[in-house]
Structures are given as C-alpha cells and as structure tokens.
Amino acid sequence: MRWSKQPFSLRNSVWFRDPGALESPIEFRNGGIINSMIRAVLFDMDGLMFDTERISTKAWTHVGQIHKLPITEEFLSHLRGRPLKQCVALFEQQLGTDVDFWELRKERNLYVENFLHTFGLPVKPGLKELLAYLKSHGYGICLATSTDQEHALR
C-alpha cells in the first residue's frame, strides 16, 4: 500500500444522478455531466466507515470529567475535521493556556486504545456489504483519512 502525505482538494462536490445505481454518470454542481462511468470510490475513514467520532467524544468528555474541565460534546463538535494546530488553539481558548493539551490528549488516546482493545472498532452498518459489492464488481476502493498512518493501518 502506498501512502501520500500530499494534501489534495476536490474542487467540485460530486453526487450520483441516480443514488440507487453505482453505474450512473456523475454530475457536478454546476450541471456539467461527466460521460465516463465511476471506476473507484473514495471513502473517508473516521465517521463514515467506522464510528470513531463517538469513541473520541466519549474519551474527551471522560478526560474532562476527571480533570473537572468543560470538555463538552458541543465544544468537541467544533473540532471535527480541523487540523490539529487549530484544535490546540481552540482548546487553549476554551480551557486556558495553563491546561496542557498534549497531556490531556495522551489520556484521551489511552482511553481510545483501551476501548478498541476491549470492544473492537465499531464498523458502520452496511460497510462490509458495500465493500464486498464494490470489490466483486471491479471498483477501485480508496481510503482517505487524517488519522496517522500507524493507526489507520491497524
């Protein structure tokens, strides 16, 4: 498996013209239709394939309770999808600069590791069937994630 740390962006959002058929042409928001068929599907790992957001939220709120810090689900919702540097800044804004984000993050990571060791990674309903369908019909499957490579490969 080849990994790239190069960032990329999709300039136009894409959706299926007929959500019930993977073989349908796709259409860009500007109305232009691509006349080729879909050959591959790109999946985002966290939140789409695996229910990692729920575990992360539970871990952060647990750490907040231990240290009597206001780490709420509402606060955490503002962090999702942001780069780590922005998360650190938001933590400092919410909790003050005297709170050590990196120590709290270590505790959060330990909670997540223990959860995964005990219960396994929660797979979103229908994922296995969808991946099997795509594989059996010759579609390429790609994984996108902001999770570091070591954890993503596990």
Side-chain angles (χ1 to χ4, degrees):
M1 181 177 291
R2 187 171 155 220
W3 285 81
S4 171
K5 292 203 177 237
Q6 288 292 351
F8 70 93
S9 67
L10 299 173
R11 292 182 184 257
N12 295 302
S13 297
V14 179
W15 68 90
F16 296 108
R17 286 179 61 90
D18 174 9
L22 287 174
E23 292 81 14
S24 296
I26 54 178
E27 176 177 303
F28 287 94
R29 286 184 194 243
N30 65 10
I33 297 174
I34 297 176
N35 292 324
S36 63
M37 301 306 237
I38 296 172
R39 293 185 179 97
V41 179
L42 175 68
F43 288 92
D44 180 28
M45 186 178 84
D46 297 308
L48 177 69
M49 298 176 77
F50 306 108
D51 198 2
T52 53
E53 290 176 1
R54 183 177 53 87
I55 299 167
S56 181
T57 297
K58 195 171 184 178
W60 273 121
T61 55
H62 175 76
V63 169
Q65 289 170 351
I66 289 172
H67 295 281
K68 298 183 180 8
L69 296 170
I71 302 176
T72 63
E73 288 186 33
E74 180 184 351
F75 169 65
L76 295 170
S77 71
H78 298 291
L79 304 177
R80 286 194 192 98
R82 294 185 185 266
L84 186 58
K85 190 174 183 179
Q86 286 181 9
C87 293
V88 173
L90 288 170
F91 259 84
E92 288 178 355
Q93 207 174 53
Q94 172 84 4
L95 306 174
T97 56
D98 56 328
V99 173
D100 187 346
F101 169 82
W102 300 105
E103 284 302 315
L104 295 177
R105 189 167 189 255
K106 283 181 189 176
E107 290 181 41
R108 173 238 176 234
N109 289 346
L110 182 61
Y111 182 99
V112 169
E113 290 294 323
N114 288 334
F115 181 94
L116 295 176
H117 180 74
T118 305
F119 301 105
L121 185 61
V123 176
K124 290 284 190 158
L127 176 66
K128 291 178 183 177
E129 294 82 2
L130 176 58
L131 292 174
Y133 174 87
L134 293 171
K135 185 176 179 181
S136 70
H137 286 80
Y139 289 96
I141 300 170
C142 303
L143 176 67
T145 184
S146 59
T147 300
D148 63 271
Q149 183 177 351
E150 177 187 349
H151 288 102
L153 289 174
R154 281 197 235 160

